[in-house]
């Protein structure tokens, strides 16, 4: 009788222990058990192949050499990413347990919908400004909503994360010519649209939203290069950046389910001329440097002659071209936030 009672108690303990493990997995203590979905919106900081393939121009350059030339994950060939390798959403996706960013929406008709999510970001897009080839943020979100409504994307958005990432190039391209009043008016509209997009995504059922702050855009290679071809270490990247990020703090980052991916802080730590960081030897000078100030990385003559210099060690450069970081640059940026992002999504 005692043996039977002992066996029953042991069996009960085993069952309780197993249930405990199931319960802990249910609550996300084991990140490997959760299947996150990532939906990406933005411009060239986040595009993984949405801009249409066409003849080589500044806007289509991501489909041509030397873009993708160090991308070992894709055969060292261009994939439409505006870098020599992976970009921001690829590294965010890795934190969520994926190999890279979910596929570009442009590939949907060919490959179908991937269960890991979808990337709607397009190089050249803005929050307020956009084109037919590069739709603005509102239209990217509208497309996502239509696809959910029509069942193309599963409306079960459990464990879903949205990433909104913009460089500011399109919306603030003329900020140096603006008065402070004009700057504030434009920034007000841009940040209102970002806040509206966040609200729409969460109303649809997206559980967590990651939003980038504006980096110090005046200190990007394209805006800090002088007429003599020198990169000015005295560049001022704060005129628009500070106002934009202050408004975002008020309108967006007060929400507990919105994460501040602070590009301003990360870029300043890693790449500001005054930074003491030794991670990158070249902080302002881009790895792919156009001969002409109005030219672009990847530009060639009719005879096929490159119109740019290409650094032999891209990992020593923070910037790849006039505004976009290298693979190593983006990896270093996201590494600074990995633990915080894990805590935010409860991995």
């Amino acid at each position: 009788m005692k043996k039977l009672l002992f066996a029953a108690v042991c069996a009960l303990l085993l069952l309780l222990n197993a249930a405990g493990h199931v319960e802990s997995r249910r609550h996300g203590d084991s990140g490997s058990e959760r299947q996150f979905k990532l939906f990406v919106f933005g411009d060239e900081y986040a595009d993984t192949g949405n801009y249409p393939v066409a003849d080589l121009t500044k806007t289509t350059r991501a489909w041509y050499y030397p873009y993708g030339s160090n991308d070992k994950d894709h055969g060292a060939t261009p994939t439409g990413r505006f870098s020599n390798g992976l970009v921001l959403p690829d590294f965010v996706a890795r934190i969520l347990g994926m190999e890279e960013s979910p596929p570009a929406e442009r590939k949907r008709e060919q490959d179908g919908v991937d269960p890991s999510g979808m990337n709607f970001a397009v190089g050249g897009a803005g929050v307020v400004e956009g084109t037919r080839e590069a739709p603005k943020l509102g239209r990217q979100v509208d497309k996502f909503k239509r696809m959910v409504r029509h069942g193309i994307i599963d409306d079960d958005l459990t464990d879903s994360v949205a990433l909104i990432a913009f460089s500011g190039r399109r919306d603030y391209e003329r900020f140096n010519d603006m008065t402070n009043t004009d700057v504030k008016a434009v920034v007000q509209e841009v940040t209102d649209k970002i806040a509206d997009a966040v609200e729409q995504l969460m109303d649809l059922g997206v559980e967590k939203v990651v939003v980038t702050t504006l980096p110090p855009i005046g200190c990007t290679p394209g805006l800090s290069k002088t007429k003599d071809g020198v990169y000015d270490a005295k560049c001022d990247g704060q005129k628009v950046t500070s106002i934009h990020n202050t408004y975002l703090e008020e309108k967006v980052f007060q929400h507990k389910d919105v994460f501040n991916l602070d590009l301003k802080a990360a870029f300043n730590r890693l790449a500001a001329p005054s930074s003491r960081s030794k991670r990158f030897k070249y902080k302002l000078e881009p790895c792919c440097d156009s001969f002409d100030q109005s030219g672009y990385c990847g530009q060639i003559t009719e005879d096929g002659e490159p119109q740019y210099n290409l650094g032999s060690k891209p990992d020593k450069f923070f910037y790849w071209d006039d505004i976009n970081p290298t693979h190593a640059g983006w990896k270093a940026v996201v590494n600074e936030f990995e633990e915080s992002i894990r805590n935010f999504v409860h991995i």
Side-chain angles (χ1 to χ4, degrees):
M1 185 70 180
K2 287 182 179 180
K3 289 183 178 180
L4 288 172
L5 183 60
F6 178 77
V9 170
C10 287
L12 180 60
L13 287 171
L14 285 170
L15 284 171
L16 288 171
N17 187 47
H21 282 300
V22 170
E23 189 65 21
S24 69
R25 286 198 297 268
R26 240 181 238 144
H27 285 82
D29 291 336
S30 172
S32 62
E33 297 297 321
R34 298 176 69 187
Q35 298 294 318
F36 286 98
K37 305 179 195 73
L38 178 62
F39 300 100
V40 182
F41 309 88
D43 63 2
E44 50 263 50
Y45 273 9
D47 189 355
T48 56
N50 274 316
Y51 199 93
V53 181
D55 291 342
L56 175 61
T57 64
K58 187 171 185 176
T59 54
T60 64
R61 68 191 188 280
W63 288 109
Y64 293 87
Y65 181 85
Y67 286 82
S69 54
N70 305 107
D71 188 352
K72 297 176 182 178
D73 296 285
H74 300 96
T77 57
T79 59
R81 288 169 169 83
F82 287 76
S83 185
N84 62 315
L86 301 182
V87 291
L88 174 60
D90 293 305
F91 294 108
V92 172
R94 286 182 173 183
I95 295 174
L96 301 179
M98 306 171 195
E99 292 183 3
E100 60 181 24
S101 168
E105 187 275 331
R106 189 182 67 87
K107 300 176 182 177
R108 174 173 60 88
E109 291 186 9
Q110 173 186 328
D111 300 336
V113 177
D114 194 285
S116 67
M118 192 173 290
N119 188 320
F120 295 86
V122 189
V127 174
V128 173
E129 302 290 336
T131 64
R132 184 172 61 84
E133 295 84 5
K136 61 186 179 181
L137 174 60
R139 291 190 175 178
Q140 294 177 27
V141 172
D142 285 345
K143 181 176 286 188
F144 170 61
K145 290 168 63 180
R146 284 198 304 273
M147 292 173 74
V148 171
R149 192 164 58 243
H150 295 154
I152 298 169
I153 291 175
D154 191 341
D155 63 1
D156 179 5
L157 296 174
T158 304
D159 286 334
S160 59
V161 179
L163 169 65
I164 299 176
F166 281 91
S167 66
R169 180 203 286 268
R170 169 72 69 172
D171 295 302
Y172 299 129
E173 59 186 343
R174 291 182 294 276
F175 80 91
N176 277 329
D177 302 322
M178 294 181 186
T179 65
N180 285 341
T181 302
D182 290 339
V183 166
K184 287 182 179 180
V186 173
V187 173
Q188 188 77 258
E189 184 178 11
V190 169
T191 51
D192 278 347
K193 296 295 185 185
I194 293 174
D196 182 58
V198 169
E199 185 176 352
Q200 290 188 57
L201 291 168
M202 299 190 86
D203 285 347
L204 199 64
V206 174
E207 293 188 344
K208 303 285 184 180
V209 183
V210 177
V211 180
T212 61
T213 61
L214 195 67
I217 58 175
C219 280
T220 55
L223 291 175
S224 63
K225 190 175 186 178
T226 67
K227 292 179 181 178
D228 299 326
V230 177
Y231 289 91
D232 184 7
K234 296 179 181 178
C235 57
D236 178 14
Q238 312 309 321
K239 181 177 180 180
V240 173
T241 299
S242 295
I243 303 171
H244 176 101
N245 293 342
T246 298
Y247 285 1
L248 274 188
E249 182 64 39
E250 296 169 357
K251 300 175 184 181
V252 174
F253 295 134
Q254 300 300 314
H255 199 294
K256 66 179 179 63
D257 290 321
V258 179
F259 181 85
N260 177 355
L261 187 61
D262 194 350
L263 294 188
K264 177 188 174 183
F267 279 39
N268 279 337
R269 279 193 295 270
L270 294 165
S274 59
S275 169
R276 294 183 180 180
S277 170
K278 295 181 180 179
R279 173 61 185 85
F280 296 98
K281 181 177 180 179
Y282 304 100
K283 294 184 169 77
L284 273 183
E285 181 182 342
C287 184
C288 185
D289 195 1
S290 172
F291 294 163
D292 188 339
Q293 196 166 9
S294 60
Y296 57 90
C297 172
Q299 187 175 13
I300 57 175
T301 64
E302 290 183 0
D303 297 328
E305 287 296 315
Q307 298 299 291
Y308 56 90
N309 288 316
L310 192 62
S312 61
K313 296 180 178 179
D315 284 357
K316 293 185 178 295
F317 293 80
F318 179 79
Y319 283 104
W320 168 247
D321 60 15
D322 62 331
I323 194 168
N324 298 290
T326 57
H327 174 107
W330 277 128
K331 184 177 181 179
V333 167
V334 178
N335 278 351
E336 296 217 344
F337 299 98
E338 179 168 358
E339 185 177 350
S340 299
I341 292 173
R342 287 182 176 277
N343 291 335
F344 173 66
V345 298
H346 307 301
I347 294 179

